[in-house]
Amino acid sequence: MPLAAARDPRLPVTLITGFLGAGKSTLLNALVRDPAFADAAVLINEFGNVGIDSALVRDIPGEVVTLPTGCVCCALRGEMIDALRDLHFSRVRGRVPEFSRLLIETSGLADPAPILATLLKEPVLASVYRIDGIATVVDGEHGEAHLDQRAEARAQAAIADRLLISKADRADAAALDRLKTRLAGINPLAEIVTMRHGEVAAALLTGCFDPARPLPPQRHHHDHPHDHGHHGHDHPHDHRDGIAATALSLASGWPRAALESRVRLFLSLNDGRVLRLKGIVRCADGALHALHGVRHVAYPAQPLDSCPPELENRVVLISDTPPEHLELLTGQPEENVIPG
């Protein structure tokens, strides 16, 4: 776990996403019965005016908030911001039961990236909540069809820290293997877990927004390393989903503020095409820092105690088109790179 997360007083947030019918509510039902999530508050973002999903999540001891529109653009305009602010202030004033964790279930039609950006960027929310992990539920029966037909399903898979395959008992082994291979191509950063009836170890869903965790061993075959020194990068892994992972080598010795500035500029110039950025770099003060980015938003660099040697000064980008201006990340700290 990153050092910053261990000392961070903000409330951890687990985001549960996945396409329609994948089994998000089933997972949520299982999680709220686990001691690790027993005192969690739950926010459910549904599509439509009738809050069915909230009625399907039973016996939650804490607070439940339902956003009925299911519209992420509305969340960015204020609906989700208002709900999360109200939840925080109600907790502080004792109007709702005490809770130490927040679970957010998105609409099955939602791209989760704007929700993450809201949590990272909105000042009040960023001071109260921190992202602890993103779990995407993938339908073991219909997941391949969803990935074929729906861009939302591909975006949900690409942004995850954990990919949880549901309904494994209803799919044959060969189909599950094909789905796992495809998901690994979309998101080589995520651990893929097969679950039944929504049951998954709570430890897998806590503290997983963490670039210090090594890539799962079965994902390594998607890297194609070439030795180009600090300016080198691996060829992206291309596939039919239009989403690719690109691994870069970074120079060490960055001042932390300068590194954060470059990451912000890089994400801004790519105009939301980088779905996820995760990396680790050793800064000018000798300390390791973790990097996170979601679409346009760069998360403040977080200190780390240690990391596997092969992950130091490395960053992985998951994008739906080839990212541009890579020189902003691969250049030496003393270089003043001005994009053309």
Side-chain angles (χ1 to χ4, degrees), residues 21-228:
K24 297 184 298 297
S25 294
T26 302
L27 171 63
L28 193 56
N29 265 312
L31 287 180
V32 296
R33 287 164 173 73
D34 191 291
F37 291 90
D39 62 346
V42 177
L43 188 150
I44 298 173
N45 189 31
E46 297 197 52
F47 191 86
N49 293 322
V50 180
I52 296 294
D53 281 2
S54 58
L56 298 178
V57 181
R58 303 178 300 275
D59 303 327
I60 296 178
E63 183 74 2
V64 181
V65 178
T66 301
L67 302 182
T69 65
C71 178
V72 176
C73 61
C74 293
L76 288 174
R77 287 200 299 266
E79 183 183 88
M80 179 168 284
I81 292 173
D82 289 345
L84 291 175
R85 283 179 174 174
D86 291 346
L87 190 59
H88 164 63
F89 289 119
S90 294
R91 172 180 176 267
V92 170
R93 294 165 182 162
R95 295 176 181 170
V96 301
E98 184 70 17
F99 60 91
S100 62
R101 177 176 290 277
L102 176 64
L103 291 165
I104 298 178
E105 179 193 342
T106 75
S107 159
L109 296 175
D111 177 352
I115 298 174
L116 286 172
T118 301
L119 288 166
L120 295 173
K121 193 172 183 180
E122 202 283 327
V124 172
L125 301 187
S127 69
V128 173
Y129 303 100
R130 64 175 174 84
I131 300 296
D132 194 48
I134 306 153
T136 296
V137 183
V138 181
D139 192 319
E141 247 189 318
H142 307 294
E144 281 200 277
H146 292 162
L147 294 172
D148 283 338
Q149 299 164 11
R150 304 297 303 214
E152 302 97 330
R154 297 190 292 271
Q156 291 161 357
I159 208 167
D161 296 298
R162 297 287 183 269
L163 289 163
L164 308 177
I165 298 178
S166 64
K167 308 176 188 176
D169 55 323
R170 298 171 64 91
D172 64 63
L176 284 175
D177 285 343
R178 288 196 306 271
L179 181 58
K180 290 176 183 178
T181 298
R182 188 163 178 190
L183 291 171
I186 293 174
N187 185 348
L189 291 171
E191 183 173 348
I192 300 174
V193 179
T194 301
M195 63 179 183
R196 285 177 171 78
H197 309 298
E199 299 289 343
V200 64
L204 281 173
L205 300 186
T206 57
C208 57
F209 194 74
D210 178 4
R213 289 178 183 263
L215 295 180
Q218 64 268 33
R219 299 304 162 265
H220 283 196
H221 69 278
H222 292 292
D223 286 336
H224 306 282
H226 297 269
D227 183 12
H228 298 301

Side-chain angles (χ1 to χ4, degrees), residues 233-319:
H233 62 275
D234 301 348
H235 292 312
H237 177 68
D238 297 312
H239 46 75
R240 58 179 164 160
D241 293 298
I243 296 172
T246 304
L248 305 175
S249 296
L250 305 182
S252 61
W254 284 89
R256 183 179 59 81
L259 176 63
E260 291 178 329
S261 177
R262 287 228 179 168
V263 171
R264 286 195 300 270
L265 179 59
F266 170 76
L267 293 177
S268 175
L269 290 173
N270 277 281
D271 196 26
R273 295 186 298 272
V274 176
L275 303 174
R276 194 75 186 270
L277 177 153
K278 295 177 75 172
I280 300 173
V281 66
R282 190 171 293 278
C283 291
D285 60 2
L288 286 171
H289 283 78
L291 308 175
H292 278 295
V294 176
R295 298 278 192 178
H296 301 84
V297 181
Y299 198 67
Q302 299 294 305
L304 293 173
D305 284 326
S306 62
C307 76
E310 68 272 16
L311 294 183
E312 187 171 320
N313 300 320
R314 298 281 285 172
V315 66
V316 176
L317 313 171
I318 297 177
S319 56

